[in-house]
Amino acid sequence: MIDRRRLLLASAATPLLGLSPALADGTRGFRRFRILRDGSDIGTHELTATRSGDRFEIAIDIDIRVRLLGITAYRYMLENREVWDGGVLTSIDSKTDDDGEDNYARITRAGDQLEVDGSAYSGTAPLESVTTSYYARPFMDRRPWISTQTGKPLDVAVDPVADAPRTFGVSGDLDIVLIYDANSEWVGCRFDAGGEPGVYEMVENEGSIGGLWQSA
């Protein structure tokens, strides 16, 4: 059976209503990853982003189904919508079905802090907080990270991986390797999927996401 705590797929949401991924016109971006566990396809992770002025919106959707002998042994679905303004988080509305266990994270900006209502944490967080959505390379330099699954602020350390340009190992409350390209766009990751190697393989990429976030 898959260890849900080690699957480490901590972010996502449904596509923005009315937004076609094909319209990557400089203010919109789309990315789809295929998720592999020991080489077997177990699901998808999609990100759809828009920017209007200083306002950046992103919708993320993760859908994982691990099958053993034709039977679904583990199911994970996460839907998350984030809004940022000038590089500062404005709101999150996220819900997760982790193999029948419901989690959520709802965040709003309140003056000089963030108000967090989550299934594992309720309280405040600083404006420099980022999310466990990974899509922007500058997230590696900011703290804290807030779980989009539970709302909990996470204690993480991020270190460059030797001999692997633009690759970062995350340790602490998360254990994952994140990979970016020369334009600081998120292009993949590696993680422990219940004792088996887990990999993100990018299968569709239109426009920019990290670039839109940085320019908003």
Side-chain angles (χ1 to χ4, degrees), residues 50-57 83-88 90 212-216:
T50 61
R51 179 181 61 80
S52 178
D54 289 338
R55 182 182 176 90
F56 172 88
E57 298 186 32
V83 179
W84 299 71
D85 192 342
V88 175
T90 299
L212 291 178
W213 180 87
Q214 292 184 76
S215 63

Side-chain angles (χ1 to χ4, degrees), residues 51-73:
R51 179 181 61 80
S52 178
D54 289 338
R55 182 182 176 90
F56 172 88
E57 298 186 32
I58 186 163
I60 309 160
D61 177 74
I62 294 174
D63 188 348
I64 297 170
R65 305 183 193 200
V66 179
R67 294 181 173 87
L68 298 175
L69 301 177
I71 299 173
T72 299

Side-chain angles (χ1 to χ4, degrees), residues 15-32:
L16 291 173
L17 296 177
L19 175 59
S20 169
L23 299 177
D25 58 1
T27 60
R28 311 183 188 194
F30 176 77
R31 185 162 302 129
R32 177 185 289 117

Side-chain angles (χ1 to χ4, degrees), residues 2 7 35-42 66 68 193-199:
I2 299 300
L7 196 51
I35 305 169
L36 304 174
R37 177 177 184 262
D38 195 27
S40 297
D41 191 335
I42 61 170
V66 179
L68 298 175
E196 301 289 349
V199 175

